[in-house]
């Protein structure tokens, strides 16, 4: 056969093959995009208004209109702060080039597209040194031959001023190397991701007050798979080369941080291990050389955990009390399933090098054994199943160096050896006052344990698990604040007991110690000027009072700011934050008190728990 004919036939065959391949690739691209559209439509956090594809011979056009509405309340709040309360909307068209060869760094692939996100006009006015008409972001995406989706985006570097027309603050910004990449399948069941930031440096000056925030070498990467609905497993690593914050005289610096997490599901048991390591860090004049820790959660029922996450992220509509009780029952049932699998939470290693390696060494393990019965309002059964132990050791050499710092006149002048020794011996003497602190030749240590429903520090019993959880406000029942009913449970057994007093009681004042506070907001529950945080599920004290001809004074004192809420025998509520002439301590006076039960909550103004002393008097509140 003539050579020219052979070449022509070969060229024709090659062209036909390319045409067929291009046609097949176009059909495959259309099918993959249809699958991606179906996946997005099925998601609860994505609204798909339009996603269709116009296929041509070598190219196509994608029309899209999507809105992402996160289910997480914190992310919703962030978007609201960015003036996007209805979610993040992406709408437009994208020109798509069909393969098998797409070039642009992707090489052989099904399809590829490039896009640019313009810089909003108000942002451009705020960034006067922004380069020309450069976009805010440049992006690239392609479908691999295997049907995977790969996308990357990179921000334009910026170095210059940031202007705010509503402020006189002078801000200088340096941003470089910000970009991200993601790889996934069109069903969004396996995701690989990478985020990089070479550096960001923000300095500002406001009325002579200067500050600076610096990050260098920030990276986040990982690969995760949806092992169960809403339960992702895989690996991720966060790395940071340097972080620094300086605000006038306050400063923080950190050199190197790495956090690696690895989670997996084996035989329907979810296990996760997280390791952390950091280099030198400094807080003002104080610093540490490094930290290492390994934290693990093991043996968690994966199916139950997945259902729990779905229930939390997609709570049912609480239309009536029945719906509230049903949701609470589902939560309790899932919690019992998780605890029945004997899960554990542990800090396998904790090492802090304040001055030298292993100045502080610790460990902790907490688990659950036996059948779980999460009876609402009764935490005794839960406490009986908890098992745990913890230990923390501090080298005496580090303790001595702490004493040297404390006695060095605020770090301005070095203390003498005698002053250091005196301070060191004073610290040791103070620690010896605590029976649970154990001293050896090289270190001091403290240990804790949870066994048989009780918490021990060393050989000292701290209390039952149920009582400690109740003080923290964790024994709520359906029908009490925090579960939707909006009331305090005045009929529950008081945390610190009942007190019986009659007129002319002695001593006067009569007093008792208690732990004030909790996790429920009195202002939300009672309103009417009532403030403070309490444990709504159980009152702190009930006073059974037989009245006479004297007024009844009820007041509290503590190092922290406390409050009072009292229901009198007639069912009326009385609240106080700061009593007259009592500073931030609360107090109430019943001028003509009735006989009966006074149900009392002692709250704290700031969320938490604090030690307090409650007083009853017929004379007054004293000085």
């Amino acid at each position: 056969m003539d050579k020219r004919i052979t070449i022509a036939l070969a060229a024709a065959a090659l062209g036909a093959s390319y045409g067929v391949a291009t046609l097949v690739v176009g059909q495959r691209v259309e099918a993959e995009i249809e699958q991606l559209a179906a996946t997005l439509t099925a998601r609860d956090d994505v609204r798909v208004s339009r996603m269709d594809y116009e296929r041509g011979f070598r190219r196509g056009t994608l029309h899209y209109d999507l809105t992402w509405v996160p289910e997480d309340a914190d992310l919703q709040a962030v978007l609201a702060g960015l003036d996007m309360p209805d979610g993040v909307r992406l709408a437009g068209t994208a020109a798509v080039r069909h393969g098998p060869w797409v070039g642009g760094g992707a090489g052989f692939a099904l399809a590829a597209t490039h896009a640019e996100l313009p810089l909003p006009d108000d942002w451009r006015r705020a960034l006067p040194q922004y380069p020309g008409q450069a976009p805010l972001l440049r992006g690239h995406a392609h479908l691999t031959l295997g049907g995977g989706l790969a996308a990357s985006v990179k921000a334009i570097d910026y170095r210059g001023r940031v202007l705010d027309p509503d402020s006189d603050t002078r801000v200088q910004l340096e941003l470089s190397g910000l970009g991200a990449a993601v790889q996934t399948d069109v069903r969004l069941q396996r995701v690989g991701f990478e985020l990089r930031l070479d550096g960001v440096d923000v300095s500002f000056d406001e009325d002579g007050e200067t500050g600076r925030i610096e990050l260098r070498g920030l990276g986040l990467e990982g690969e995760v798979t949806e092992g169960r609905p809403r339960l992702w497993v895989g690996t991720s690593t966060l790395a940071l080369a340097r972080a620094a914050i300086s605000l006038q005289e306050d400063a923080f610096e950190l050199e190197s941080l790495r956090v690696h997490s690895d989670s997996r599901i084996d035989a329907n048991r979810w296990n996760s291990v997280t390791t952390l390591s950091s280099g030198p860090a400094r807080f003002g004049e104080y610093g540490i050389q490094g930290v290492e820790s390994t934290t693990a959660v093991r043996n968690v029922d994966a199916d139950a955990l997945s259902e729990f996450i779905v229930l939390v992220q997609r709570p049912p509509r609480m239309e009536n009390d029945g719906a509230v009780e049903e949701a609470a029952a589902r939560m309790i049932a899932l919690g019992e399933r998780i605890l029945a699998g004997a899960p554990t939470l542990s800090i396998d290693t904790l090492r802090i090098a304040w001055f030298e390696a292993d100045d502080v060494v610790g460990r902790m393990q907490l688990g659950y054994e036996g059948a779980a019965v999460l009876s609402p309002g009764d935490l005794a059964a839960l406490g009986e199943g908890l098992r745990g132990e913890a230990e923390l050791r501090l080298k005496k050499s580090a303790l001595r160096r702490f004493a040297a710092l404390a006695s060095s006149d605020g770090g301005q002048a070095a203390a003498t050896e005698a002053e250091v020794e005196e301070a060191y011996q004073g610290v040791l003497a103070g620690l010896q006052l605590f029976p649970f602190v154990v001293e050896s030749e090289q270190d001091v240590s403290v240990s804790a344990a949870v066994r048989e429903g009780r918490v021990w520090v060393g050989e000292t019993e701290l209390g039952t698990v149920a009582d400690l959880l109740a003080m923290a406000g964790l024994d709520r029942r359906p029908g009490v604040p925090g579960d939707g009913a909006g009331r305090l449970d005045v009929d529950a057994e008081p945390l610190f007991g009942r007190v019986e007093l009659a007129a002319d009681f002695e001593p006067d004042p009569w007093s008792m110690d208690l732990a004030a506070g909790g996790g429920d907001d009195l202002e939300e529950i009672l309103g009417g000027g009532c403030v403070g945080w309490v444990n709504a599920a159980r009152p702190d004290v009930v006073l059974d009072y037989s009245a006479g001809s004297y007024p009844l004074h009820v007041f509290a004192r503590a190092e922290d700011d406390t409050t009072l809420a009292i229901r009198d025998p007639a069912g009326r509520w009385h609240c106080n934050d700061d009593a007259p002439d009592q500073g931030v301590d609360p107090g109430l006076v019943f001028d003509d008190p009735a006989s009966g039960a006074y149900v009392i909550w002692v709250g704290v103004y700031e969320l938490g728990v604090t030690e307090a002393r409650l007083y009853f008097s017929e004379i007054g509140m004293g000085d």
Side-chain angles (χ1 to χ4, degrees), residues 138-347:
R138 288 194 174 101
H140 170 83
H142 67 271
L143 281 168
T144 68
L145 294 177
L149 176 64
S152 62
V153 64
K154 189 178 187 306
I156 303 299
D157 294 347
Y158 181 78
R159 180 174 182 176
R161 293 175 295 159
V162 178
L163 303 181
D164 183 354
D166 300 323
S167 172
D168 294 331
T169 303
R170 293 184 294 276
V171 179
Q172 190 78 13
L173 170 65
E174 295 185 17
L175 176 70
S176 63
L178 175 60
V182 63
Q183 304 87 38
T184 181
D185 57 66
V186 292
R187 291 175 174 79
L188 305 181
Q189 294 176 331
R190 180 184 296 274
V191 180
F193 55 88
E194 181 179 10
L195 172 69
R196 288 286 180 266
L197 173 63
D198 291 342
V200 61
D201 195 324
V202 181
S203 58
F204 58 88
D205 185 337
E206 182 177 12
D207 298 329
E209 299 287 332
T210 62
R212 182 182 179 188
I213 301 174
E214 177 190 4
L215 294 176
R216 291 283 181 266
L218 175 64
L220 174 65
E221 61 183 18
E223 184 173 344
V224 294
T225 302
E226 194 171 19
R228 297 287 189 278
R230 305 299 176 93
L231 181 59
W232 294 82
V233 295
T235 62
S236 64
T237 302
L238 170 68
L240 179 65
R242 171 178 167 77
I245 301 174
S246 59
L247 301 171
Q248 292 299 98
E249 297 180 358
D250 296 326
F252 163 77
E253 294 183 14
L254 171 65
E255 299 292 341
S256 104
L257 172 69
R258 186 179 186 275
V259 182
H260 178 76
S261 179
D262 187 350
S263 60
R264 62 187 68 241
I265 296 175
D266 298 311
N268 197 40
R269 286 293 183 264
W270 179 77
N271 301 278
S272 178
V273 178
T274 300
T275 59
L276 177 149
S277 62
S278 72
R282 179 160 293 278
F283 311 85
E285 63 186 68
Y286 302 102
I288 61 175
Q289 301 305 307
V291 176
E292 294 182 7
S293 70
T294 302
T295 306
V297 180
R298 299 183 175 95
N299 211 35
V300 180
D301 186 312
D303 289 339
L305 180 59
S306 170
E307 293 178 39
F308 189 89
I309 294 172
V310 171
L311 184 60
V312 170
Q313 292 186 349
R314 300 170 55 190
R317 297 179 63 181
M318 304 298 184
E319 298 177 339
N320 49 53
D321 291 343
V324 172
E325 293 178 359
E326 181 181 353
R330 289 180 61 192
M331 284 279 193
I332 290 171
L334 290 171
E336 290 178 345
R337 283 176 56 189
I338 291 173
L339 291 178
T344 62
L345 167 66
S346 64
I347 300 176

Side-chain angles (χ1 to χ4, degrees), residues 342-412:
T344 62
L345 167 66
S346 64
I347 300 176
D348 295 336
T349 59
L350 172 63
R351 301 179 183 276
I352 302 176
W354 246 296
F355 309 101
E356 299 175 352
D358 296 343
D359 280 339
V360 177
V361 176
R363 63 178 183 85
M364 183 275 290
Q365 182 167 334
L366 183 65
Y368 195 88
E369 297 178 359
V373 180
L374 299 181
S375 176
D378 181 7
L379 296 176
L382 174 64
E384 288 292 335
L386 286 175
R387 300 287 186 273
E389 58 180 7
E391 183 180 28
L392 191 68
R393 294 182 177 273
L394 171 63
K395 282 184 178 179
K396 283 186 173 180
S397 58
L399 196 61
R400 179 181 289 276
R401 296 183 71 167
F402 283 131
L405 288 174
S407 57
S408 63
D409 191 22
Q412 300 301 314

Side-chain angles (χ1 to χ4, degrees), residues 15 97 116 167 182 191 217 246 444 477 489 495 501 528 567 613:
R97 179 181 178 182
E116 292 185 348
S167 172
V182 63
V191 180
S246 59
V444 292
R477 304 195 291 275
D489 193 347
L495 282 168
L501 294 176
R567 196 187 79 153
R613 194 167 185 83

Side-chain angles (χ1 to χ4, degrees), residues 444-515:
V444 292
S445 63
V446 61
S447 61
V450 179
R451 53 181 182 266
E452 298 179 352
R454 298 182 177 276
V455 179
W456 300 79
V457 179
E459 298 302 320
T460 302
E461 183 181 347
L462 194 61
T464 67
V465 174
D467 286 343
L468 294 177
L469 292 176
M471 283 192 291
L474 299 178
D475 62 343
R476 298 173 178 153
R477 304 195 291 275
V480 300
D483 294 314
R487 67 179 182 87
L488 300 172
D489 193 347
V490 297
D491 298 320
E493 188 66 20
L495 282 168
F496 302 99
R498 306 181 73 95
V499 177
E500 294 186 10
L501 294 176
D504 292 321
F505 60 79
E506 291 183 355
D508 188 339
W510 193 97
S511 64
M512 62 182 296
D513 293 321
L514 51 80

